[in-house]
């Protein structure tokens, strides 16, 4: 009878039995006789706008067969049963909905689910559907709650009655609201917080949202009544990614999975879309390592779900910022001609719009989103990219970020600007040493011939001389030197002053440094001395803070000068320069010249007849260099050659061969006379030790060492003495003692190579051979 009265009451409100839909565990029985009357829900069958209530709005997402259960996150959601409020906050495609649906499916108790939509910004529509969700899970509200009568507002009594009913429950009701970011404006969140607060233990609210909900989360957080699952929690770990790919039929190496996670930042939708695309690829592993985001299914998702949802002016700003690896508000304003970048970036971060916060004021785009934005930039704003790089380069130079300024200058094709920046900042030495030398070399390797400034020529010379290519390095160095000297004379005539501006002094110092290196490589100690003297004077003209930022400059100058002196046999002068370089400031920028200097000092120990001391010196230098994890191919070769020579002294031919092979593989001796001479000498001595006198003679005769056969370079007394010594030993081994004596005569104190210049070890060994 009561059921029939309720049906009659519903009919009076315009609801017929045909309007009643079957919803979840509270489905109404088919209307029959009065004894079997249906249970009619308290909610109406239409929303306040007059549209029928949709069952899909209160149904969790369907879990696909390829969904990966994630126990670590499901356990976190289990905590929601003990906390009033749970927030699952992450970007589009982060897996929020499927995670919650999976959790609800295994919960074993009724859960009210609501998929929010844009119309839910109207309180009447939102609360109608929330009551519909309660009814759908078998928890209909009583008559005291009623239903909203209009879309624009909700009677406070409805909220109070609903809170009271929930508070009276013996078991809490779990309510999940998906896509809560669609509920814009503060009114609905305030009403929801009122119900949550007054429902007490009767309600467990779970909000899935791309943005942080407008609820007083700080209060719940402070009270320990908030469970939070954020974007970083939702991100797939490598093992999870491998399992997800496995569900798509892909079994891939761990390195591929790690690389994919790094590129996608563990983003769920990105991993799934990549997996689907890889299944159809000829080589899934190669596809996942090399796919272009803008030509993959990821592009459609990010374009539609993230970029297209932003207003036109925000889209324009995002496209312009896409040329940057990272950005701050001031830099963003410079590129976009806006003044509100700080608020814009904060808003995008709050919306989880694939803008990552790096700390302080710095942000960056998600890697895949950045790729999509750059593709849209070229499509929508063709030709603008170089100008954006140009603006970025100038902003970065003003801010002191040299590396990024150079990269953007190169990307804009502004090679004169990039080269001038490198020279003005006194950073030419970074092309010759340091951990970033390779990166800088690759960056400037694309410099076009149209770059004709003295700075551009200095960079060209540095690139060639760093490879010991004097033939190509000398012409641009001479051009730069000539033009800098002309500019200095013109400035003196115009201004009547002899001093230089900081940029002018920096350019001339860079030129002097390269002159010293060129002199070292050509075995020209006098030219090295002249250039080093000019460099010393210029060092006095430059600001101390600028010099302090570049300790590699004096280290390189001293090392190159010391090497040139050593080649000339000026051991005491070489020792002063090399010791000063070796004891210079610690750090990655000086580690290579310091190790190079130590190797040269060890070579002098060896020439003086102290192989043990030479070995200890080299090993100490190697230990120091290994702290910086330098690539083996970039290491100076002289120290390794000294160790090979010491191994020969101990008759450890195998170890000597191993060290020589390592040196030859690196190619680091090519073009450096000291290293090339020592490599040839040790190689010949090793061949002699193995009884291959003819091969030893050929190794000495064919060695390409400046100063051994060139009339324009200075001959090295010690290198020549060792060469003669090895030649004589070969003649003796071949049974030609007369020829050996004739060659050794040139090494003796009465010969052309004096003991002081050649080193005591050479003369001592020569005397020993003569005795034999």
């Amino acid at each position: 009878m009561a059921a029939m009265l309720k049906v009659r009451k519903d009919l009076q409100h315009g609801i017929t039995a045909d309007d009643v839909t079957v919803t979840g565990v509270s489905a109404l029985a088919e209307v029959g006789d009065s004894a079997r009357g249906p249970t009619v829900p308290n909610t109406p069958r239409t929303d306040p706008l007059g549209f029928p209530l949709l069952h899909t709005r209160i149904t969790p997402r369907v879990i696909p067969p390829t969904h990966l259960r994630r126990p670590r996150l499901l356990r976190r959601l289990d905590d929601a049963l003990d906390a009033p409020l749970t927030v699952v906050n992450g970007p589009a495609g982060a897996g929020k909905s499927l995670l919650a649906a999976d959790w609800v499916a295994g919960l074993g108790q009724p859960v009210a689910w609501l998929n929010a939509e844009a119309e839910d910004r109207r309180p009447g529509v939102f609360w109608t559907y929330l009551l519909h969700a309660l009814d759908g899970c078998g928890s209909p509200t009583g008559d005291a709650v009623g239903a909203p009568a209009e879309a624009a507002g909700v009677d406070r009594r409805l909220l109070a009655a609903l809170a009271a009913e929930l508070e009276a429950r013996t078991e809490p009701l779990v309510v999940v609201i998906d896509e809560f970011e669609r509920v814009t404006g503060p009114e609905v969140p305030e009403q929801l917080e009122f119900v949550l607060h007054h429902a007490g233990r009767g309600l467990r609210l779970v909000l899935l949202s791309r943005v942080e909900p407008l609820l007083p989360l700080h209060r719940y957080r402070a009270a320990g009544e908030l469970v939070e699952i954020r974007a970083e929690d939702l991100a797939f770990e490598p093992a999870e990614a491998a399992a997800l790919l496995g569900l798509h039929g892909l079994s891939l190496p761990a390195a591929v999975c790690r690389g994919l996670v790094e590129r996608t930042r563990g983003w769920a939708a990105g991993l799934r879309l990549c997996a689907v695309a890889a299944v159809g690829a000829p080589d899934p592993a190669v596809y996942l390592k090399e796919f272009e985001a803008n030509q993959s299914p990821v592009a459609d998702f990010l374009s539609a779900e993230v970029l297209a949802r932003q207003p036109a002016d925000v889209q324009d700003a995002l496209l312009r910022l896409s040329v940057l690896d990272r950005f701050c508000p001031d830099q963003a304003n410079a590129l976009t001609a806006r003044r509100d970048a700080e608020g814009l970036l904060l808003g995008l971060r709050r919306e989880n719009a694939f803008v990552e916060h790096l700390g302080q004021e710095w942000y960056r785009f998600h890697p895949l989103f950045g790729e999509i934005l750059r593709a849209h930039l070229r499509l929508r704003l063709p030709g603008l990219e170089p100008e954006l790089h140009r603006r970025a380069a100038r902003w970065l130079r003003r801010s002191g970020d040299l590396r990024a300024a150079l990269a953007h200058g190169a990307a804009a094709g502004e090679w004169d600007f990039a080269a001038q920046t490198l020279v003005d900042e006194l950073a030419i030495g970074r092309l010759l040493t340091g951990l970033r030398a390779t990166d800088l070399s690759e960056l400037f390797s694309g410099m076009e011939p149209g770059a004709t400034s003295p700075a551009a020529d200095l960079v060209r010379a540095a690139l060639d001389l760093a490879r010991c290519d004097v033939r190509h390095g000398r012409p641009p160095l001479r051009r730069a030197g000539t033009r800098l000297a002309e500019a200095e004379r013109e400035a003196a005539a115009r201004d009547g002053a002899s001093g230089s501006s900081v940029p002018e002094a920096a350019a001339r110092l860079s030129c002097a440094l390269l002159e010293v290196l060129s002199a070292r490589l050509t075995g020209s100690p006098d030219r090295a001395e002249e250039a080093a003297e000019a460099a010393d004077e210029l060092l006095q003209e430059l600001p101390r803070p600028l010099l302090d930022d570049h300790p590699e400059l004096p280290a390189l100058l001293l090392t190159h000068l010391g090497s040139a002196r050593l080649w000339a046999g000026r051991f005491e002068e070489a020792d002063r320069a090399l010791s000063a370089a070796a004891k210079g400031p610690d750090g990655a920028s000086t580690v290579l010249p310091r190790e190079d200097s130590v190797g040269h000092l060890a070579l002098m120990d060896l020439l003086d007849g102290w192989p043990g001391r030479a070995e200890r010196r080299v090993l100490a230098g190697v230990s120091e260099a290994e702290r910086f994890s330098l690539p083996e191919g970039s290491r100076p070769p002289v120290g390794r050659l000294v160790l090979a020579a010491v191994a020969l002294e101990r008759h450890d031919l195998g170890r000597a061969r191993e060290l020589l092979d390592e040196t030859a593989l690196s190619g680091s001796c090519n073009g450096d006379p000291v290293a090339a001479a020592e490599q040839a000498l040790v190689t010949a001595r090793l061949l002699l030790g193995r009884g291959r006198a003819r091969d030893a003679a050929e190794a000495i005769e064919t060695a390409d060492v400046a100063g051994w056969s060139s009339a324009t370079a200075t001959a090295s007394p010690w290198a020549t003495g060792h060469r003669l010594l090895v030649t004589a030993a070969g003649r003796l081994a071949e049974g030609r003692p007369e020829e050996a004596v004739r060659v050794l005569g040139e090494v003796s104190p009465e010969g052309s190579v004096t003991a002081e210049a050649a080193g005591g070890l050479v003369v001592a060994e020569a005397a020993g051979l003569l005795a034999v």
Side-chain angles (χ1 to χ4, degrees):
M1 183 65 178
M4 291 299 294
L5 289 174
K6 187 164 178 45
V7 170
R8 190 177 301 116
K9 181 177 180 181
D10 289 337
L11 291 173
Q12 290 173 354
H13 286 281
I15 302 173
T16 65
D18 292 335
D19 293 321
V20 177
T21 58
V22 179
T23 55
V25 296
S26 65
L28 300 179
E30 182 180 353
V31 176
D33 58 42
S34 58
R36 297 175 55 250
T39 302
V40 181
N42 191 47
T43 55
R45 297 300 91 198
T46 61
D47 66 24
L49 297 173
F51 295 104
L53 296 181
L54 303 174
H55 182 66
T56 53
R57 290 284 310 277
I58 62 170
T59 305
R61 302 293 173 91
V62 176
I63 301 175
T66 54
H67 171 69
L68 177 71
R69 300 205 82 218
R70 305 175 72 189
R72 67 180 177 89
L73 295 180
L74 294 174
R75 288 193 294 271
R76 294 280 299 277
L77 278 175
D78 286 339
D79 295 336
L81 300 176
D82 298 318
L85 179 61
T86 296
V87 174
V88 183
N89 182 227
K96 304 180 295 294
S97 301
L98 287 178
L99 171 66
D102 191 9
W103 177 65
V104 166
L107 202 54
Q109 68 183 68
V111 175
W113 184 287
L114 173 60
N115 296 310
E117 291 191 356
E119 285 302 326
D120 289 341
R121 68 182 184 277
R122 304 171 188 241
V125 176
F126 174 82
W127 287 104
T128 296
Y129 265 106
L130 187 57
L131 295 175
H132 185 40
L134 297 178
D135 177 47
C137 76
S139 300
T141 55
D143 293 340
V145 176
E150 56 184 35
V154 173
D155 193 319
R156 191 74 166 186
R157 285 175 295 183
L158 181 150
L159 303 177
L162 176 59
E165 280 201 12
L166 291 170
E167 197 273 338
R169 292 178 60 92
T170 56
E171 294 292 335
L173 176 65
V174 177
V175 175
V176 179
I177 305 179
D178 194 9
E179 296 190 276
F180 190 68
E181 73 276 359
R182 296 190 175 198
V183 184
T184 57
E187 190 172 2
V188 170
E190 288 175 0
Q191 295 167 350
L192 190 60
E193 202 280 325
F194 171 83
V195 173
L196 177 62
H197 176 69
H198 292 286
R201 294 189 54 81
L203 175 61
R204 297 290 180 256
L205 180 62
V206 180
L207 299 179
L208 317 179
S209 179
R210 298 186 188 182
V211 305
E212 192 164 282
L214 294 176
L215 275 73
L217 301 185
H218 61 283
R219 292 212 300 262
Y220 289 93
R221 192 178 290 121
E225 296 180 335
L226 174 65
V227 175
E228 296 181 89
I229 299 178
R230 299 285 178 174
E232 55 270 24
D233 304 310
L234 294 166
F236 274 64
E237 298 172 350
E240 293 174 325
L244 178 64
L245 293 171
L247 291 174
H248 288 80
L250 298 171
S251 178
L252 299 170
V256 175
C257 295
R258 286 194 301 270
L260 184 60
V261 169
E262 175 62 26
R263 190 172 177 191
T264 61
R265 298 282 197 272
W267 176 46
L271 290 170
R272 292 191 181 96
L273 291 170
C274 288
V276 170
V279 168
D283 189 331
V286 171
Y287 173 84
L288 291 175
K289 285 192 290 187
E290 301 178 356
F291 76 93
E292 297 182 26
N294 62 307
Q295 297 180 7
S296 72
V298 173
D300 295 332
F301 185 96
L302 289 174
S303 297
E305 291 294 325
V306 183
L307 183 59
R309 290 195 176 200
Q310 299 297 335
D313 67 314
V314 175
Q315 291 188 38
D316 181 79
L318 292 173
L319 299 186
R320 292 169 185 267
L321 293 176
S322 67
V323 301
L324 300 171
D325 292 330
R326 63 175 199 154
F327 41 88
C328 67
D330 186 51
Q331 186 181 21
N333 283 332
L335 258 69
T336 62
R338 298 173 68 108
R339 297 182 178 179
D340 62 345
E342 183 174 8
L344 172 66
L345 296 175
L346 285 172
L348 290 169
R349 178 195 175 193
R350 180 179 176 274
E351 293 172 16
N352 279 304
F354 288 80
V355 175
E356 303 173 355
H357 185 230
L358 300 176
Q360 301 296 327
E361 293 186 320
W362 291 95
Y363 300 83
R364 70 180 176 189
F365 291 120
H366 184 285
L368 297 180
F369 190 43
E371 291 182 49
I372 303 304
L373 290 175
R374 286 187 286 276
H376 278 273
L377 172 65
R378 298 178 188 119
L379 181 65
R380 298 190 198 180
L381 302 170
L384 183 61
E385 193 169 356
E387 173 59 25
L388 294 172
H389 281 296
R390 194 173 296 113
R391 293 184 196 176
R394 281 157 175 73
W395 188 94
L396 288 161
R397 180 176 179 181
R398 291 193 303 271
S399 70
D401 191 338
L402 176 64
R403 184 190 65 81
L406 295 176
H408 284 284
E414 294 278 342
W415 292 109
D416 281 323
F417 166 85
Q420 194 66 56
T421 298
L422 187 76
V423 172
D424 287 352
E425 295 297 324
L426 215 58
I428 196 79
R430 293 187 181 177
L431 285 169
L432 310 176
T433 185
L435 298 176
R436 297 193 178 277
T438 302
D439 294 340
L440 284 174
S441 298
E442 290 178 356
L443 187 149
F444 279 105
S445 64
M447 187 161 57
E448 300 167 354
T452 58
S453 65
D457 275 335
L458 286 173
V459 170
R460 290 190 181 97
L463 291 172
D464 289 326
L465 294 175
R467 297 190 297 269
C468 300
D469 185 353
V470 180
R471 185 170 67 89
H472 289 98
R474 283 295 298 166
L477 181 56
R478 281 196 297 267
R479 283 197 307 269
T482 300
R483 293 178 63 184
L484 289 171
E486 290 174 354
E488 183 183 11
R489 287 192 295 270
E490 291 173 2
R494 181 181 64 252
D495 303 330
S498 58
S500 303
S501 67
V502 171
E504 290 169 345
R508 290 167 56 210
L509 178 59
S510 299
C511 188
L513 168 64
L514 297 177
E515 286 286 1
V516 177
L517 173 57
S518 173
R520 168 186 176 174
L521 297 177
T522 54
S524 306
D526 292 339
R527 189 156 57 85
E529 297 285 358
E530 182 181 350
E533 185 176 345
D536 284 340
E537 293 177 2
L538 289 164
L539 287 169
Q540 309 307 314
E541 297 183 24
L542 289 163
R544 177 51 55 185
L546 183 60
L547 292 173
D548 290 343
D549 286 340
H550 296 282
E552 71 275 5
L553 282 175
L556 287 166
L557 282 166
L558 290 167
T559 300
H560 299 329
L561 178 61
S563 180
R565 288 172 172 175
L566 172 57
W567 175 255
R570 303 172 185 172
F571 293 152
E572 290 186 6
E573 298 171 63
D575 184 87
R576 285 197 297 272
L578 294 169
S579 295
K583 295 174 183 176
D586 190 7
S589 64
T590 62
V591 63
L592 287 179
R594 285 187 289 118
E595 185 180 13
D596 198 13
S597 294
V598 167
H600 281 69
L601 290 168
L603 178 58
M604 287 196 294
D605 287 337
L606 189 67
L607 294 174
D608 284 338
W610 298 96
R613 187 167 68 183
E615 181 183 45
R616 289 192 297 274
R617 195 190 292 266
V618 171
L619 293 178
V622 168
S623 176
E624 168 72 7
E626 286 177 348
R627 292 194 297 116
F628 297 94
S629 302
L630 295 172
E632 192 62 32
S634 70
R635 303 281 289 278
V638 176
R640 187 187 289 116
L641 292 170
V642 168
L643 293 179
V646 171
L648 285 177
E649 293 287 331
R650 296 169 179 167
H651 306 289
D652 188 349
L653 304 187
R655 177 58 178 159
R657 177 77 270 171
E658 180 184 335
L659 289 164
L660 280 171
D661 289 343
E662 291 175 4
T663 305
L665 187 63
S666 70
S668 53
C669 292
N670 301 336
D672 185 313
V674 171
E678 185 64 12
Q679 183 181 35
L681 292 168
V682 175
T683 300
R685 290 181 61 198
L686 174 64
L687 292 170
L688 281 175
R690 289 181 170 174
R692 298 164 58 184
R694 188 176 299 278
D695 291 338
E698 184 178 351
I700 284 291
E701 291 169 4
T702 60
D704 183 17
V705 180
W708 279 13
S709 59
S710 171
T712 59
T714 301
S716 172
W718 65 266
T720 302
H722 268 287
R723 183 187 184 200
L724 294 171
L725 182 63
V726 171
T727 301
R731 298 287 189 273
L732 189 61
E734 291 175 334
R736 294 186 286 174
E738 295 83 1
E739 292 187 34
V741 170
R742 179 182 56 78
V743 172
L744 287 172
E746 300 181 40
V747 184
S748 69
E750 293 76 20
S752 61
V753 181
T754 67
E756 180 184 1
L761 183 61
V762 177
V763 176
E765 291 190 12
L769 282 173
L770 284 170
V772 172

